[in-house]
Amino acid sequence: MKDQLIRILTRDGTLRGLAAVTTGLVEECRRRQDADPTATLALGRLTTGAALMGGLLKGEQRLNLTIEGNGPIQRLSAETDARGQVRATIKNPYPAVPLRDGRLDVVGAVGKAGFLHVTKDLGLREPYRGTVQLVSSEIGEDLAYYLTTSEQVPSAVSLGVYIETDGRVGAAGGFILQALPPGDEGRIALLEERLRALPPVSSLLREGQGPAAILERLLADIPFDVKDSIDLAFRCTCNRRQILRLLAGLGAEELASLAQQQEEVRVTCEFCKEVHTLTPTEIRAIR
């Protein structure tokens, strides 16, 4: 299955859903960040969450999700736009956290205390910024808590990443299901029951079930329409102009020190890990 996001709306307008396959996208992030399996699991969940929430954007709008926790990962971040172009980074890709009950310990790697920061560039004068405390550090539950409390839209979020024995990403994806006004309490109770009984998203993807099939399983006997679909892909927005602006923001003393060096200055993008090289002459021109 290719990486893709679909958006659906029930015919009575009371439920909105987004579901995605992100296997290739998450594997590309793992490769660029050279992350170990536990870090890949955490980064893959956040990357998938960002891709899903990107399905709620329009035009040139952008979204950033950042988690800062007290675990060894320290910080992880994912960005996306309305066109399904996603990138992600992680502060410590080797958290070296032992297994917990025989499973990769995302909570231990992220930390049990911390914050989820959400930044949206909606094309206004100032970006929207929201912050909530982590409620579980499982990432999916934290995103659901943010959507439900900060954006006032009751939401269920499920994110799944399957790691192969060689560390590669074998399957990744997820879904967001949101209740829209006026809502139906009986239907919400039914969906909560189905969510509890649903196998992990990564297991469903490995069985060959795509985004539409997963939502059909959840919304059995609830008619809905697929409104549109978006192809997802890794894409970094770093460029030479951005690097020059970044260096221009350094202090005068630091720029002077760089300008005096005879060697080239290398700046590595934290998202794509591409190296941008600047000559001493360019540094002096910035100064």
Side-chain angles (χ1 to χ4, degrees), residues 5 26 34 47 53 84 86 88 107 131 170-171 210 228 255 264 266 268:
L5 165 77
V26 174
D34 191 26
T47 301
M53 289 179 64
V86 190
V107 175
T131 297
D228 59 2
L255 272 176
E264 295 177 330
R266 296 189 175 188
T268 302

Side-chain angles (χ1 to χ4, degrees), residues 149-219:
T149 59
S150 294
E151 299 198 357
Q152 301 295 304
V153 183
S155 305
V157 180
S158 180
L159 310 171
V161 179
Y162 178 79
I163 311 295
E164 301 284 2
T165 55
D166 61 1
R168 293 182 300 106
V169 177
F175 64 81
I176 295 176
L177 200 59
Q178 297 184 308
L180 302 176
D184 182 331
E185 292 186 5
R187 178 175 286 178
I188 291 174
L190 171 64
L191 289 173
E192 288 176 342
E193 183 177 336
R194 289 179 181 175
L195 284 166
R196 286 192 291 269
L198 190 73
V201 174
S202 56
S203 297
L204 296 176
L205 292 172
R206 294 180 68 211
E207 292 173 3
Q209 298 189 44
I214 292 173
L215 291 177
E216 285 172 359
R217 185 164 179 164
L218 273 173
L219 301 175

